[in-house]
Amino acid sequence: MKTNIVLIGMTGSGKSTIGKLLGKELAFSFVDMDAYIEETNETTIPELFAISEDHFRNLETKASKEIASQVDYTVISCGGGVILREENMDALKQTGWIFFIDRPTEQIIEDIKTDHRPLLKEGREKLYQLAEERMDLYHKSADFIVKNDSSLRSTLDTILSILKRQNIQAKE
Ligand code: S3P
């Protein structure tokens, strides 16, 4: 049975913030996949990218499979590139409903912090290119698409109403 809620979307789209709040409201656990990768490998995302992006992506695939198979009733916030490998999404879909948090790139650019995001080290304008390359994959991977372009509260309410409509419930 699918009991997890998986948040995908561009870097800076609000997945972690929304995920933590959603977890609280549903009394679900919360896992941030990037933090999981850093903890289990005792290193940082920039250090993993310094080895190579492929090295990071391999660990991201491992994390997708481990988290998907080990947790239930959990909100999982994924790194922006998790959709790049079909096997990641296949694993996450086994146990979770996939929500694409869709925030306009113009809004992300206004407030994103780039210091710990190696893909943006040449500048935040790279976001436009990433969005173009990835948008189809986000749409293709998602069970539900939720705009995050006004208030956090309205985004949360949209997700909660989808969960209710689909009868996706918190643990008894
Ligand atoms: C990445 C996004 C980051 C992190 C890594 C790669 C990406 O996560 O996984 O730097 O490919 O978009 P956030 O989406 O949490 O920033």
Side-chain angles (χ1 to χ4, degrees):
M1 194 174 65
K2 294 188 189 209
T3 65
N4 296 323
I5 295 165
V6 179
L7 306 184
I8 61 169
M10 285 289 291
T11 186
S13 60
K15 293 162 292 180
S16 298
T17 310
I18 292 165
K20 280 181 202 149
L21 293 169
L22 197 60
K24 274 200 190 122
E25 297 209 10
L26 292 168
F28 273 34
S29 309
F30 171 75
V31 174
D32 183 283
M33 195 180 292
D34 282 342
Y36 175 93
I37 294 169
E38 291 186 326
E39 278 159 29
T40 52
N41 295 284
E42 296 180 2
T43 183
T44 63
I45 304 289
E47 278 171 35
L48 292 170
F49 265 81
I51 297 169
S52 73
E53 177 169 348
D54 218 40
H55 180 61
F56 169 76
R57 296 292 171 210
N58 290 338
L59 294 174
E60 184 173 52
T61 295
K62 188 166 173 275
S64 301
K65 293 178 181 174
E66 285 173 1
I67 296 171
S69 64
Q70 287 168 11
V71 304
D72 60 2
Y73 298 98
T74 298
V75 180
I76 304 165
S77 169
C78 302
V82 75
I83 39 78
L84 296 173
R85 290 192 183 174
E86 212 173 336
E87 62 184 312
N88 301 348
M89 297 317 301
D90 285 347
L92 290 160
K93 271 183 189 175
Q94 301 274 325
T95 57
W97 298 100
I98 316 291
F99 283 76
F100 168 33
I101 306 298
D102 186 11
R103 186 171 184 224
T105 309
E106 300 72 42
Q107 287 187 14
I108 298 178
I109 277 200
E110 278 170 22
D111 56 17
I112 192 167
K113 295 194 179 69
T114 55
D115 50 346
H116 65 289
R117 290 181 158 111
L119 281 181
L120 303 181
K121 65 176 188 295
E122 286 140 33
R124 51 190 68 202
E125 281 65 34
K126 176 89 190 286
L127 275 168
Y128 286 107
Q129 185 197 327
L130 290 174
E132 194 171 315
E133 286 168 5
R134 294 174 173 183
M135 214 36 77
D136 281 354
L137 285 172
Y138 288 127
H139 280 266
K140 212 177 91 186
S141 307
D143 294 308
F144 307 104
I145 297 168
V146 178
K147 281 254 177 244
N148 183 28
D149 58 0
S150 54
S151 73
L152 213 52
R153 187 65 256 168
S154 75
T155 306
L156 280 168
D157 285 343
T158 306
I159 298 174
L160 291 168
S161 74
I162 292 171
L163 294 173
K164 204 166 163 196
R165 206 169 61 225
Q166 300 292 320
N167 214 8
I168 304 168
Q169 286 164 347
K171 212 178 207 166
E172 291 295 315

